[in-house]
């Protein structure tokens, strides 16, 4: 009897071991199947990734045509160099294929941001401009005009495009007020840009001018007479002690006013000092506090 019991237990253990092995084999099989599926899924996902370098190379001509940038007259290589990173940003996710027409529509939707970038790059990269390129740059240049104005101004002058010159002056002024100071520099007598520095050199045309030229440009005599007439007696009394006034794009300033980095010192002639004395004598003698 004990031997039979022992045999029965042995068979039971054998069945359990067999079942365990079968379960283990099943688990391994399922894991292997899952891994295979995952590998196939990953491979499939990788296959869907779009190579943007190749996409740009293939569709650059279409993008240029759809966005109207063919007017710039660049070579294919120049267009790729100019637009590649912009197109890649506009393309979006590389997990799915996007048509050139869709990217072109995005391009035009964001043209107010994209065109200034293109204009800036053209101005920096090209040594000379065609009429179409020059117009595109002037009409679309943004903040970078503050650094590129000398080159663009020279090209506009060379082309004799006075119409573009005024647009460029306005853009310079707007970008200066936006990025530099809330007041413009004195207008340069040579180029007409508000770009004259305290040393009387121009940031745009590079000219160095005289005080006499500055006075003529801003009609100093008339402006100074009006300025003196607006001062209080105390201010007139102080001004008599100075040999100069300050000038910027807003006009004439009293020497005691807070100075900005762009204020220009304009020295007063004998006749101009006499204007101050006469004004003081006529309004303030015996009543300095007025």
């Amino acid at each position: 009897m004990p031997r039979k019991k022992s045999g029965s237990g042995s068979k039971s253990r054998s069945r359990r071991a067999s079942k365990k092995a079968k379960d283990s084999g099943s688990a391994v099989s399922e894991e292997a199947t899952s891994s295979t599926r995952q590998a196939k899924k990953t491979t499939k996902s990788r296959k869907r990734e779009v190579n943007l370098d190749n996409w740009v190379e293939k569709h650059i001509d279409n993008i240029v045509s759809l966005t109207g940038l063919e007017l710039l007259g660049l070579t294919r290589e120049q267009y790729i160099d100019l637009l590649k990173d912009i197109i890649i940003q506009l393309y979006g996710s590389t997990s799915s294929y996007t048509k050139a027409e869709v990217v072109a529509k995005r391009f035009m939707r964001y043209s107010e941001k994209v065109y200034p970038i293109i204009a800036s790059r053209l101005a920096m990269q090209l040594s000379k401009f065609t009429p179409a390129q020059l117009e595109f740059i002037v009409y679309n240049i943004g903040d970078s005009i503050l650094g590129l104005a000398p080159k663009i101004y020279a090209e506009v002058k060379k082309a004799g495009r006075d119409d573009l010159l005024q647009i460029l002056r306005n853009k310079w002024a707007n970008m200066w007020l936006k990025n530099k100071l809330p007041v413009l520099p004195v207008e340069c007598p040579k180029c007409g840009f508000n770009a004259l520095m305290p040393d009387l050199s121009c940031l745009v045309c590079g000219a160095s001018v005289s005080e006499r030229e500055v006075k003529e440009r801003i009609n100093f005599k008339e402006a100074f007479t009006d300025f003196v007439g607006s001062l209080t007696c105390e201010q007139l009394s102080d001004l008599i002690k100075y040999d100069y006034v300050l000038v910027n794009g807003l006009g004439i300033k009293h020497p005691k006013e807070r100075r900005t980095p762009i204020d220009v010192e304009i020295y007063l002639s004998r006749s101009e000092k006499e204007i101050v004395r006469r004004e003081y004598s006529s309004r303030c003698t015996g009543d300095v506090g007025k």
Side-chain angles (χ1 to χ4, degrees):
M1 293 294 289
R3 288 179 182 175
K4 287 183 180 180
K5 191 174 184 180
S6 175
S8 176
S10 177
K11 288 179 180 180
S12 178
R13 284 194 299 273
S14 178
R15 283 196 298 271
R16 285 198 299 271
S18 176
K19 184 179 180 182
K20 186 175 182 181
K22 187 182 290 184
D23 290 343
S24 177
S26 177
V28 170
S29 177
E30 287 180 6
E31 185 176 348
T33 302
S34 177
S35 297
T36 302
R37 287 174 183 165
Q38 186 65 32
K40 288 181 178 179
K41 189 175 182 180
T42 302
T43 302
K44 191 175 181 181
S45 176
R46 284 176 181 168
K47 286 181 180 178
R48 286 204 305 264
E49 290 286 323
V50 177
N51 186 313
L52 291 180
D53 288 339
N54 292 342
W55 192 97
V56 172
E57 180 74 28
K58 180 180 179 181
H59 294 285
I60 188 64
D61 296 328
N62 202 9
I63 292 291
V64 169
S65 177
L66 289 169
T67 56
L69 291 178
E70 54 195 1
L71 63 86
L72 296 178
L74 303 174
T75 65
R76 196 170 194 276
E77 290 70 25
Q78 285 176 317
Y79 277 121
I80 291 175
D81 185 51
L82 183 70
L83 303 174
K84 183 176 180 179
D85 64 324
I86 296 173
I87 293 173
I88 287 175
Q89 289 186 50
L90 293 173
Y91 188 96
S93 174
T94 58
S95 62
S96 61
Y97 189 86
T98 302
K99 293 182 179 180
E101 290 78 6
V102 174
V103 175
K105 286 180 180 178
R106 292 173 184 170
F107 191 104
M108 299 309 296
R109 188 185 310 150
Y110 295 104
S111 60
E112 288 187 3
K113 294 182 179 179
V114 172
Y115 280 4
I117 297 173
I118 296 174
S120 177
R121 290 178 180 178
L122 286 173
M124 287 189 289
Q125 295 173 8
L126 300 179
S127 57
K128 57 182 180 179
F129 312 136
T130 65
Q133 291 166 354
L134 185 59
E135 285 190 13
F136 183 91
I137 290 169
V138 171
Y139 279 110
N140 293 288
I141 196 74
D143 293 352
S144 60
I145 190 177
L146 296 177
L148 294 170
K151 181 178 181 180
I152 302 172
Y153 167 76
E155 290 296 319
V156 170
K157 285 291 289 182
K158 189 187 300 181
R161 294 292 302 272
D162 291 341
D163 56 324
L164 296 181
L165 199 55
Q166 190 53 49
I167 294 172
L168 201 61
R169 289 190 186 108
N170 292 338
K171 290 215 167 197
W172 165 273
N174 291 335
M175 294 307 162
W176 178 280
L177 294 173
K178 176 185 173 184
N179 296 286
K180 292 287 189 179
L181 293 170
V183 58
L184 292 170
V186 176
E187 190 175 296
C188 173
K190 300 294 186 182
C191 66
F193 282 75
N194 288 93
L196 200 67
M197 293 292 99
D199 63 354
L200 300 184
S201 66
C202 179
L203 293 176
V204 175
C205 68
S208 292
V209 301
S210 65
E211 282 192 23
R212 181 182 59 79
E213 290 175 302
V214 175
K215 284 184 174 182
E216 289 177 358
R217 182 73 181 194
I218 65 174
N219 194 11
F220 183 80
K221 185 175 182 179
E222 182 179 340
F224 183 68
T225 301
D226 292 341
F227 168 73
V228 169
S230 70
L231 298 179
T232 65
C233 289
E234 183 177 356
Q235 290 171 326
L236 285 168
S237 177
D238 286 334
L239 186 57
I240 290 173
K241 303 170 187 175
Y242 286 88
D243 293 328
Y244 66 91
V245 290
L246 301 174
V247 178
N248 59 37
L250 292 177
I252 301 172
K253 292 171 57 176
H254 197 287
K256 290 189 73 174
E257 286 190 57
R258 184 177 180 179
R259 187 181 295 231
T260 72
I262 59 168
D263 288 341
V264 175
E265 291 184 359
I266 297 295
Y267 284 85
L268 302 175
S269 65
R270 183 176 298 178
S271 61
E272 289 160 351
K273 290 179 182 179
E274 187 59 32
I275 292 174
V276 181
R277 293 191 184 93
R278 284 201 304 268
E279 184 70 20
Y280 179 78
S281 297
S282 65
R283 288 202 285 123
C284 309
T285 302
D287 196 2
V288 177
K290 287 185 180 179

